Amino acid sequence: MAIQKLILDILEEDEYELIAIHSSVASYRLAFLLNKNLNLHLFRKKEDINFEYNDFVANFPLYQYHDQFQYNTYSLLANKFSAKIESNNVISKGLFEDTENLYAVKYLIPELKNVDYFLKIEAETSKFSSKSLLAQMLTISQIITAYSVEYTALKSKNNLIFE
């Protein structure tokens, strides 16, 4: 019996721009601010990005906008998910008893734990530059800082593939 081998050539990685955003506002508020100040039309997708762990499922909200005129796709992602895990351990604090509440925190990109959100920009043309977009983002008072991230150096860059 003949053995057949399939050889995969080098897979081309998606090329995109990745902007890290530090902001304390909620994801829906940040999407509104980006829509208002950058003339985007980000909307919440029906399905979040889900990752299953041993004890719970982490849901990262996803906002997207497909610019049909410039052939760009903008995706706003939260980097942090925290869930309350209830345990049956009872803690006695003086006169009151309380059940112990633990919070599990998971990150979309664990290497960048200080980043609150990511804006992923997939451009089909090579004319796109994120410098002007970054300059406009930094004028928003609710954004503490924003900067470009070299995604090829990230260990968990596969978490940014969601389509």
Side-chain angles (χ1 to χ4, degrees), residues 89-141:
N89 298 341
V90 176
I91 300 173
S92 178
K93 294 182 181 177
L95 297 174
F96 305 102
E97 291 184 358
D98 190 19
T99 58
E100 183 179 8
N101 292 323
L102 300 175
Y103 288 92
V105 178
K106 296 295 181 182
Y107 297 94
L108 186 66
I109 305 295
E111 301 94 272
L112 300 171
K113 291 182 179 181
N114 294 331
V115 175
D116 297 313
Y117 299 98
F118 290 104
L119 184 65
K120 178 181 172 185
I121 305 153
E122 299 171 89
E124 291 187 21
T125 61
S126 60
K127 296 177 183 177
F128 180 79
S129 176
S130 64
K131 291 180 182 178
S132 63
L133 188 69
L134 268 171
Q136 290 176 336
M137 286 174 68
L138 291 173
T139 62
I140 302 171
S141 62

Side-chain angles (χ1 to χ4, degrees), residues 32-70:
F32 171 77
L33 291 169
L34 292 176
N35 286 344
K36 182 180 174 186
N37 294 300
L38 303 178
N39 295 324
L40 299 178
H41 300 289
L42 292 166
F43 65 94
R44 176 90 184 250
K45 297 288 280 188
K46 290 182 181 178
E47 292 188 18
D48 295 338
I49 299 173
N50 301 322
F51 289 102
E52 292 184 23
Y53 296 98
N54 295 336
D55 46 352
F56 66 95
V57 176
N59 301 318
F60 298 95
L62 172 63
Y63 295 83
Q64 263 189 342
Y65 166 55
H66 300 287
D67 187 357
Q68 297 176 351
F69 298 110
Q70 296 183 2

